[in-house]
Amino acid sequence: MAEIKTLSEAIEGRRATPSFDSEPIPPEDLQQILDAGLHAPSGFNMQPWRFIVVQSPEQKKRLRAASFNQGKVEEASAVIVACGDADGWRKDLDLVLQLGREGGMPESYAVQAQSSVFNYLSSFSSDQMHGWLNKMVMIAFTHMLLMAEVMGYDTAPMEGFEQEKVHEVLRLPLSYWVVALLGIGHLKGPDKFNGGRFDMGHTVFGEEFGKPLK
């Protein structure tokens, strides 16, 4: 059993794993990691993420060929291909409102959301929809990455892939937009160097740009 970490330890010690040992992940651990992603917040609670979990050696090999031949795609115990469904909201809006009602959503809110959410999302261009999906899916992606780290796994977030080739390998619907790949497993060999992070003075401001946070 891998060592359980606190969230602070996981955030502080995490590195993008350069190489994995390919040992299988117990199904219950994988379920827990995926479940963390499913609990992420999203705009209007639309949950537009769709995850394809790749574990078989043959499929990992094919996915590697669609991901600029990155070795860790094939070495990872599992690769979660995180996608957004550009049409998901059309199919899911009624279900989302039903879940909301069951959770205490006022009927007046549900009725208003039925039209306002539709009007908002149906106005998006393809680029705007992909931008929105990127934001939503990456929140869920980060939940899964940190849950895996807390559970003692190593992770590698990857943005190096070819959209069309991944579509082909995974037989994705046309409405799917591939956002990122998450490799999960255990480190093989030396860990990645510590690249360092900017301090707060470089990136954080108080009240308005240019003023230090007090």
Side-chain angles (χ1 to χ4, degrees), residues 24-112:
I25 291 185
E28 60 274 17
D29 284 5
L30 195 52
Q31 292 276 344
Q32 191 175 342
I33 291 165
L34 288 160
D35 200 45
L38 301 187
H39 277 84
S42 58
F44 315 112
N45 196 30
M46 285 311 310
Q47 306 161 60
W49 41 70
R50 303 290 184 264
F51 305 126
I52 291 85
V53 183
V54 179
Q55 298 180 85
S56 77
E58 314 79 51
Q59 190 69 329
K60 284 192 293 186
K61 192 169 194 168
R62 285 191 281 267
L63 184 60
R64 173 181 180 169
S67 307
F68 301 115
N69 200 34
Q70 293 182 79
K72 52 192 169 184
V73 173
E74 199 172 349
E75 295 167 356
S77 307
V79 180
I80 300 174
V81 183
C83 308
D85 183 359
D87 286 344
W89 65 273
R90 294 179 190 275
K91 303 187 284 272
D92 294 341
L93 182 53
D94 287 342
L95 180 57
V96 163
L97 294 176
Q98 182 190 323
L99 290 170
R101 286 180 175 106
E102 290 167 10
M105 177 190 287
E107 186 57 32
S108 58
Y109 184 97
V111 170
Q112 190 186 0

